[in-house]
Amino acid sequence: MPYKIMIVDDQFVSRELFKLYVEQSGQYEVVHAIDSAMFADTYVLRSDIDLVIMDILMQDGSNGLEAAEKIKALKPDIKIIAVTSMPEVSWMARAKQIGIDSFWYKELSEKTILEIMDRTLAGESIYPAETPVVQLGLTSSSELTPREIQVLRLLTTGAGNEEIASKLHISSNTVKTHIKHLLEKTGFTSRTQLAIQSRITGLVVED
């Protein structure tokens, strides 16, 4: 009897590719393929589902990690694989904290989604060793400190120095210093350019 799968992905092409791979394997049956995480938890209550392939960031603003947390609270035995093409540095740690079983980068993983599915349903938890490194101007994400990444994340929301300082419990002068260092490392000429490029690369996604 095939395992029953739900796919949650807002990209039509990704959703159809997942369905194709999954159904061709012969071991799996796709019972739902939906384009939003908003009501994903209600689907697992209505259907008998063994595993959820959950994209993280949806165009309608819904968040796959939040949906996964609800699903795990309702039915902890359902296996969940978080999938994304964005190298946002905080997502893997949050997925582990929620109890998501496995984590897969769409374009960057050497392992196929079917391999991750097989191993996850066999009881393994498969996570990449590290977040993919991305280029940001003249530097790479691996050259940035954790605090600089926190500042960057808030910068992408349009927050000013005082607001960033308040949220990170540091002084506004310290914020100015971090932004100065970030501009020097990346070679960007303004904080606006820095914020836009950080968002475009997927290095930080506002929470």
Side-chain angles (χ1 to χ4, degrees):
M1 189 171 169
Y3 288 109
K4 298 190 184 308
I5 310 298
M6 178 166 78
I7 298 165
V8 186
D9 196 312
D10 64 338
Q11 298 290 327
F12 176 78
V13 173
S14 287
R15 215 164 48 245
E16 291 303 305
L17 279 173
F18 279 139
K19 279 173 69 177
L20 190 67
Y21 292 148
V22 167
E23 289 179 338
Q24 280 184 344
S25 75
Q27 299 179 66
Y28 302 109
E29 176 193 348
V30 177
V31 292
H32 297 296
I34 59 176
D35 62 1
S36 170
M38 203 168 287
F39 304 110
D41 54 318
T42 62
Y43 281 86
V44 303
L45 289 174
R46 283 194 227 147
S47 308
D48 184 19
I49 291 169
D50 299 299
L51 180 139
V52 179
I53 298 172
M54 179 73 77
D55 193 20
I56 295 177
L57 195 66
M58 311 279 168
Q59 288 176 345
D60 65 356
S62 60
N63 184 298
L65 295 178
E66 291 172 7
E69 190 168 20
K70 289 179 185 174
I71 289 168
K72 282 292 187 184
L74 291 166
K75 291 195 172 183
D77 290 341
I78 290 179
K79 304 286 188 183
I80 301 176
I81 302 171
V83 302
T84 186
S85 55
M86 301 184 81
E88 156 62 59
V89 292
S90 69
W91 282 349
M92 266 209 291
R94 191 170 168 209
K96 284 180 182 176
Q97 186 180 22
I98 288 166
I100 290 173
D101 302 272
S102 296
F103 199 104
W104 187 73
Y105 286 107
K106 291 180 186 177
E107 284 90 5
L108 300 164
S109 178
E110 293 175 3
K111 299 180 179 69
T112 66
I113 187 63
L114 283 176
E115 182 184 344
I116 301 295
M117 290 168 68
D118 291 344
R119 292 173 64 182
T120 301
L121 282 163
E124 286 188 68
S125 179
I126 314 296
Y127 272 76
E130 56 190 19
T131 302
V133 173
V134 294
Q135 194 69 22
L136 186 62
L138 301 176
T139 194
S140 70
S141 54
S142 60
E143 300 299 314
L144 304 180
T145 68
R147 181 63 92 190
E148 285 171 345
I149 288 170
Q150 287 178 323
V151 170
L152 267 184
R153 182 173 287 108
L154 290 168
L155 203 60
T156 64
T157 70
N161 288 0
E162 293 292 337
E163 187 180 348
I164 294 171
S166 172
K167 287 189 173 178
L168 296 180
H169 307 292
I170 56 179
S171 72
S172 56
N173 278 338
T174 303
V175 173
K176 282 181 192 172
T177 301
H178 283 308
I179 292 172
K180 178 172 174 282
H181 288 161
L182 284 162
L183 291 170
E184 287 169 353
K185 284 181 178 182
T186 60
F188 295 136
T189 54
S190 71
R191 62 190 286 145
T192 303
Q193 190 183 18
L194 179 63
I196 289 169
Q197 291 302 317
S198 300
R199 184 67 178 81
I200 287 170
T201 61
L203 173 61
V204 288
V205 180
E206 65 179 86
D207 190 2

